Every structure is written in C-alpha cells, then in structure tokens.
C-alpha cells in the first residue's frame, strides 16, 4: 500500500483554511452535518475557488481525492456537542 501523498492539514492549507488539528476539528464541527442531498463542492460554505478545487480533484481522481472523500464523510457525520 502506498503512503498518502497529502495529509489532512495539507488539504486545509490548500483550501486556504486554518489547518491545525483543533482548527480542522472546529471547521468540521461548525459545518456538520452536511445534508445527504448536497454534494460537497456545492456546500454553501465554500468560496468559488475552493469549490472548483474540490470538483477538479474529484473529477480527476487526483492525489487530493482521497482526502476530499475523507472530508466529505467527516462533514456528514453528526457531531457530539
């Protein structure tokens, strides 16, 4: 199995978001749960550029796609208050 090219903090940095572990957790908590009928790139909290990056990575099955999938799953899980 190949080692991942990128890690979670790299994805958040690429998206121009704060990327410490606590900041990533806070972002996910603030935006969950994402409704099942909303595709990740269509979520209302992305900028146009962030949404385009996410769409491109998924369409190209690029190095970032695995982390984008992780983020999608994380945003759909109900969080404990």
């Amino acid at each position: 199995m190949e080692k991942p090219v990128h890690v979670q903090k790299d994805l958040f940095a690429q998206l121009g978001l704060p990327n410490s572990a606590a900041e990533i957790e806070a972002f996910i908590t603030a935006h969950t749960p994402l409704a099942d009928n909303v595709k990740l790139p269509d979520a209302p909290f992305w900028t146009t550029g962030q949404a385009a990056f996410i769409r491109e990575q998924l369409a190209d099955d690029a190095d970032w796609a695995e982390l984008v999938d992780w983020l999608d799953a994380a945003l759909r899980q109900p969080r404990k208050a």
Side-chain angles (χ1 to χ4, degrees):
M1 178 178 235
E2 289 184 39
K3 187 176 181 178
V5 176
H6 306 289
V7 293
Q8 294 168 352
K9 68 178 187 157
D10 297 337
L11 175 61
F12 275 70
Q14 183 68 26
L15 291 168
L17 298 170
N19 67 343
S20 72
E23 291 165 323
I24 291 169
E25 183 63 28
F27 178 89
I28 292 169
T29 299
H31 298 293
T32 56
L34 184 60
D36 289 339
N37 65 335
V38 176
K39 293 181 180 180
L40 182 63
D42 297 333
F45 46 82
W46 300 125
T47 65
T48 302
Q50 289 167 330
F53 173 79
I54 291 168
R55 275 190 194 90
E56 182 179 303
Q57 300 316 300
L58 291 172
D60 294 346
D61 196 24
D63 291 341
W64 295 102
E66 185 175 335
L67 283 170
V68 170
D69 288 341
W70 162 82
L71 181 57
D72 188 20
L75 288 168
R76 294 183 193 282
Q77 297 297 315
R79 307 302 270 189
K80 294 181 182 177

